[in-house]
Amino acid sequence: MACALQTDGQLENDPKNDLVCKPHGIKAVFACMQCKDTLCCEDCVVTTHQCHPFKKLSVLMAEKRASIENYITLLEQTKLPLLKEQMKATENQLARNEIDAKEARKAVLERSTKLKSELDKVINKSVRKCEEMAFENESKLTVYKEHMENILTEYRQKLSQVQHVIDEGTVEEIIHTTKNLPQPPVYPQYPDLHLPTFTAGDPSHLREAFGTIVISTSEETTDESNNTPTVVREIEELD
């Protein structure tokens, strides 16, 4: 006889079914709990499945139906509405996607125009400064060169006179000239020049001035009671 049998009524009151016990080929009226709901007939209870816990098929079917109904209720009342909400949120994000991209592109181009304008100002100012220094240096060097040319002309004349005395002068003239030789020329001080050079700056500073793309990523929370997407902010490096 069975050791643990849940009948919930007499066998003759069971609902009619077409389930058959495979070992004995007769109508199954029980399910063996120990053997994973294996269908059993009255003979199985006292033979193959002796002392196993059983449930009457009507009881088991009622439990299975209740389990399936609970599953359907869970889907219809919780899971599917949540899925619809997520689909609606996705549709809204699709609508926002192109708008957000256009706004970001617009901001990038506006910033680019602004920086190009500022960069042009810096470039023009730097070029103008180079030209001003070149003009100033040219003026100083021109004056210095003219001064040196004047000294050279003056001393060439003096040397010519001294040479003439040596070649054709009298003894008295030579003696007099020896005592009155012109002093060597005093060279003027070389002008103080401002020579421009260019040192390239760190391009990363330009990146910082330009800005970065901020990426907002939506992550679904595992808490179904709060399906609001979380936002994570990350910085994308510009290569």
Side-chain angles (χ1 to χ4, degrees), residues 121-133:
K121 292 179 182 179
V122 172
I123 292 173
N124 293 335
K125 183 178 180 180
S126 299
V127 171
R128 185 168 59 253
K129 185 63 177 178
C130 291
E131 293 173 347
E132 290 174 354
M133 286 189 288

Side-chain angles (χ1 to χ4, degrees), residues 66-83:
S67 177
I68 294 173
E69 289 173 354
N70 290 337
Y71 171 77
I72 293 174
T73 300
L74 176 64
L75 286 182
E76 291 181 342
Q77 296 184 2
T78 304
K79 300 294 183 179
L80 295 184
L82 178 60
L83 181 60

